[in-house]
Amino acid sequence: MERLTQPEEDALRVLWPLPGGGFVKEILEHLPAPRPPYTTLASTLRNLERKGYVRSEKLGNSFRFVPLISADEYQRRSLGTLVQQHFQNSYKELVSFFAQDDKISAADLQEIIQLIESKKPE
């Protein structure tokens, strides 16, 4: 999937928790200040639709936008792309980078190891 701009990602973050999707006005109300103009947000949502992240449903004179990808799936794909592009497709390299940069502690690593070891085999 195509990479998202920051305004596109912001709009998706607002859309995900809205049950059944949302209208431009509704999404606009949930965005933090400074909010974009209505027409700019409408264009952003159309771009998200073109990129395959949302679909629109015409209801009267308005469109309701519904996410086609969950927040978890977006996070998985984004992280996967980051690891592929910057860490030779190795999650070990990613963790090593943070460990060397003192962004993750030995206690954090132990907790990660426990999570991995306690994971049920699929």
Side-chain angles (χ1 to χ4, degrees), residues 57-100:
E57 303 169 339
K58 187 167 175 73
L59 297 170
N61 292 331
S62 299
F63 287 90
R64 178 173 51 200
F65 293 89
V66 179
L68 294 174
I69 182 172
S70 70
D72 286 344
E73 182 61 23
Y74 178 71
Q75 185 178 33
R76 234 179 254 104
R77 288 181 186 189
S78 296
L79 185 57
T81 299
L82 176 93
V83 170
Q84 181 181 21
Q85 292 176 347
H86 299 283
F87 297 98
Q88 297 80 40
N89 211 24
S90 168
Y91 284 86
K92 177 183 164 198
E93 291 293 325
L94 172 73
V95 173
S96 178
F97 171 81
F98 287 116
Q100 290 173 11

Side-chain angles (χ1 to χ4, degrees), residues 98-116:
F98 287 116
Q100 290 173 11
D101 205 28
D102 293 327
K103 301 289 186 198
I104 192 168
S105 69
D108 291 337
L109 288 172
Q110 278 296 355
E111 193 174 325
I112 292 168
I113 290 167
Q114 288 174 352
L115 284 170
I116 292 168

Side-chain angles (χ1 to χ4, degrees), residues 10 13-14 18 28 35 52 54 56 60-62 68 72 77 121:
D10 292 343
R13 288 187 195 287
V14 169
L18 295 176
L28 192 59
R35 293 182 179 98
V54 302
S56 64
N61 292 331
S62 299
L68 294 174
D72 286 344
R77 288 181 186 189

Side-chain angles (χ1 to χ4, degrees), residues 38-62:
Y38 180 97
T39 54
T40 301
L41 179 58
S43 294
T44 298
L45 290 163
R46 286 287 175 209
N47 286 338
L48 283 169
E49 184 174 31
R50 181 185 51 78
K51 291 179 178 182
Y53 287 91
V54 302
R55 68 177 161 80
S56 64
E57 303 169 339
K58 187 167 175 73
L59 297 170
N61 292 331
S62 299

